[in-house]
Amino acid sequence: MPADKQPKPIPGSVATIRILGIPVRLHFTFVLMLVYLLFLGMSQQQSRVSTAFYIVGLFASVLLHELAHTVVARHYGIGTIEIVMFPIGGISRPERPPKPREDLWIALAGPLTNLLLAAALLAWVATHGGLVPFRQMQEPTDATLAQWIAVGNLALGLFNLVPAVPMDGGRILRSLLARRKPEEEAARIAARAGQFLAVLFGLVGLLWSNFILVFVALFVYLGASQESSAVRGRILTAGFPVSAAMLTDFRVLRHGDTIRDAGNLLLATSQHDFPVMHGDSVVGLLTRRRLVRAMMRDGAEAYVAGAMDREFPRFSPETSLQDVLSKVSAPGSCALVMDADDQLLGMVTSENVSEFLLLRQAKMVQPE
Ligand code: ZN
C-alpha cells in the first residue's frame, strides 16, 4: 500500500537532472535568470564562450553549495527529496527535519563550500599573476572570468551567512540559540530576524529603486514566514500520534453511490473528502477535486467508484503527527487513518491539522 507516497516536487520546475542520485530541478524563475544573465553578458565585453563559462561557473557554485548540504545531511542519515534551483540560490529538501545539532553542520557546509571555492579560485588567479584590483573589476572580461566566479562565490557564501532564516546563517543562529533556549523560541527569533531583514531589504530596495533587492526581500520574507509556521507545527505536534488529531465524525460514500449522491453530501456537510466504502472496507477516497472533475467529465449519474482515488494516502493510528504534518500541509490534502486490519478509524486533512495546532497553542490539548 502506498503508505508513504513520495512527497510531491515543488511546482514550477521545468527540467530535472540527477546528481548523486538526487533530482536537481530547475525552477522556471531560475531559467529566466539564466536568460537574463546571458543577455546581460552579451551586451558587455565578454565573448559568448566566456559568458557561457561564467554562467556555468555560477550555476556549479550554487549546485556545489546545495550538494554540500546534502552530503552532510546524508552523514546524519537524512536523505534529500530534491534540490530546487531558484534565482537567489538553491533549496535542498531533507526527508526529515534535522535536529538543531545536526542542522548547524548541514547549514554551515553550504556557505563554507562557497568561501573555500572563492579562496581557491583567488589563490589560483593570484599565482597565475592575473589578479585584477577589485576597483577595476566593473566590467567582466575574458581575463577576469575566474576572478568573477570567485567574487560570485564570495557573495554567495557571505549572503548565506546572514544570520536570518531562511538563509543558512539563520539556521546556524537557530541551532546555536537552541543550545540555551527552548527550540521553539530559538526558531521564533531566527524567523523574526529573517522577516525584519526582509523588510529592511525591501525598504532599501525601494529607496534605491533596486528592484532585484525588493525581489530578494520578498523571497526572504516568504521563506521566513514559511519556516516559522513549519517550525511551529513541528513543535506543537511533537509527541502526538496522528490519532490525536484525526477527524472521527464524518460521512462516507458507498461503492454504488453516484456523483449526484456525492454532490449532495458535499453540500449538506462541511466535508470536502469522502472515504468510499464497500461493505466494511475502504476502497477509495473521493476528494473534492476529483468529485468536481467527475461532475464535469462524467455527469451526475456516473458512479463514484470511477472517480475515486484508489491509491489514497493512509497512515496507521500510531504514526507520529510530525511525520504526517508535512504530507497533509498543502491545502485540500487528505489522508485516511486505518488500523492493521484495514478498518477505517479516521481522516486527517490540512484543515483539521491546523485546528489541532490552534488547540495546542491554546494549551487545550496536552501530550500524555
Ligand atoms: Zn544553503
Side-chain angles (χ1 to χ4, degrees), residues 8-298:
K8 290 195 185 76
I10 289 180
S13 53
V14 288
T16 304
I17 46 177
R18 273 186 172 273
I19 299 173
L20 300 176
I22 301 162
V24 177
R25 302 188 208 283
L26 310 185
H27 196 256
F28 78 95
T29 49
F30 179 81
V31 177
L32 281 181
M33 185 199 62
L34 284 189
V35 174
Y36 172 72
L37 281 180
L38 204 66
F39 184 75
L40 206 69
M42 282 205 276
S43 62
Q44 285 167 342
Q45 289 179 6
Q46 281 176 303
S47 73
R48 272 162 205 245
V49 177
S50 145
T51 305
F53 270 124
Y54 179 56
I55 290 169
V56 169
L58 283 185
F59 173 78
S61 306
V62 175
L63 199 56
L64 282 171
H65 171 115
E66 292 311 318
L67 288 173
H69 286 313
T70 66
V71 166
V72 179
R74 193 174 284 180
H75 169 76
Y76 289 113
I78 307 172
T80 302
I81 300 166
E82 60 176 355
I83 292 175
V84 187
M85 303 292 281
F86 287 102
I88 65 159
I91 286 181
S92 41
R93 295 176 62 206
E95 276 171 2
R96 70 160 170 86
K99 297 186 181 78
R101 184 178 43 82
E102 301 167 339
D103 205 23
L104 173 65
W105 298 107
I106 298 173
L108 199 58
L112 210 59
T113 302
N114 293 124
L115 294 182
L116 288 175
L117 269 172
L121 276 170
L122 285 178
W124 183 82
V125 175
T127 51
H128 287 70
L131 211 55
V132 179
F134 284 95
R135 270 176 282 108
Q136 292 167 28
M137 269 191 69
Q138 274 122 358
E139 290 185 346
T141 59
D142 292 1
T144 58
L145 180 65
Q147 199 172 333
W148 266 95
I149 295 176
V151 170
N153 272 284
L154 202 61
L156 265 174
L158 293 179
F159 176 70
N160 275 293
L161 281 176
V162 171
V165 166
M167 267 79 74
D168 294 321
R171 290 165 57 191
I172 296 168
L173 172 70
R174 189 174 63 200
S175 312
L176 292 176
L177 286 172
R179 291 184 175 182
R180 292 161 178 274
K181 293 174 191 294
E183 207 181 315
E184 187 179 20
E185 204 185 327
R188 200 170 32 227
I189 295 171
R192 282 274 159 77
Q195 286 168 324
F196 172 76
L197 198 81
V199 171
L200 204 69
F201 276 179
L203 281 177
V204 172
L206 285 175
L207 283 175
W208 289 355
S209 302
N210 184 334
F211 291 104
I212 292 181
L213 203 56
V214 177
F215 180 69
V216 169
L218 204 68
F219 231 95
V220 171
Y221 192 85
L222 288 178
S225 310
Q226 221 167 50
E227 182 74 18
S228 80
S229 70
V231 170
R232 172 177 159 260
R234 262 197 330 259
I235 287 159
L236 290 177
T237 54
F240 286 94
V242 64
S243 57
M246 68 187 181
L247 273 162
T248 49
D249 189 5
F250 54 86
R251 303 281 293 271
V252 297
L253 287 164
R254 295 275 144 207
H255 193 250
D257 285 343
T258 60
I259 295 297
R260 185 188 303 282
D261 298 326
N264 288 339
L265 212 50
L266 182 70
L267 213 56
T269 66
S270 58
Q271 233 170 294
H272 292 159
D273 314 283
F274 301 92
V276 182
M277 310 293 291
H278 190 222
D280 274 346
S281 48
V282 187
V283 287
L285 177 67
L286 187 69
T287 59
R288 182 165 63 174
R289 191 169 346 134
R290 279 178 176 265
L291 174 56
V292 170
R293 200 167 13 156
M295 280 176 192
M296 306 289 186
R297 192 187 54 196
D298 310 326

